[in-house]
Amino acid sequence: MSEACTKFSTSCARRSRQRPRSERRAAADDIRAALDEPDAERSGSLSDQLSQALERFEESHPQLTSIVGRVADALADIGI
């Protein structure tokens, strides 16, 4: 599990440096805007939007998704 955590941390740091700050800021702004909108104005439910975003993330970061899955499984196996 320690190895998986180290890989996850390294991968997150590398991905963070690869993304321009403007992209991260735009994503944060989009999240804030979605949370501030009344439900009637949303194009889809927040759950649908999150599912779509997760699918895009899994496609663009397959190794990171795999590592996070293994970490989650390891935590579940020890009861956390």
Side-chain angles (χ1 to χ4, degrees):
M1 183 165 138
S2 175
E3 180 183 344
C5 289
T6 301
K7 285 182 182 180
F8 176 71
S9 177
T10 302
S11 181
C12 286
R14 184 175 55 247
R15 298 281 184 204
S16 178
R17 286 189 301 270
Q18 290 174 353
R19 292 249 184 236
R21 180 175 285 194
S22 61
E23 283 184 34
R24 293 191 307 264
R25 185 172 291 136
D29 290 344
D30 289 346
I31 291 169
R32 281 188 204 98
L35 293 173
D36 289 342
E37 286 180 2
D39 288 340
E41 294 180 21
R42 291 188 184 147
S43 59
S45 74
L46 192 54
S47 176
D48 291 340
Q49 291 175 13
L50 183 58
S51 293
Q52 291 169 358
L54 181 58
E55 287 175 15
R56 289 190 304 272
F57 183 84
E58 288 173 339
E59 290 171 4
S60 63
H61 302 87
Q63 286 181 315
L64 181 59
T65 302
S66 176
I67 291 169
V68 170
R70 288 195 307 262
V71 169
D73 289 343
L75 292 172
D77 287 345
I78 62 172
I80 295 177

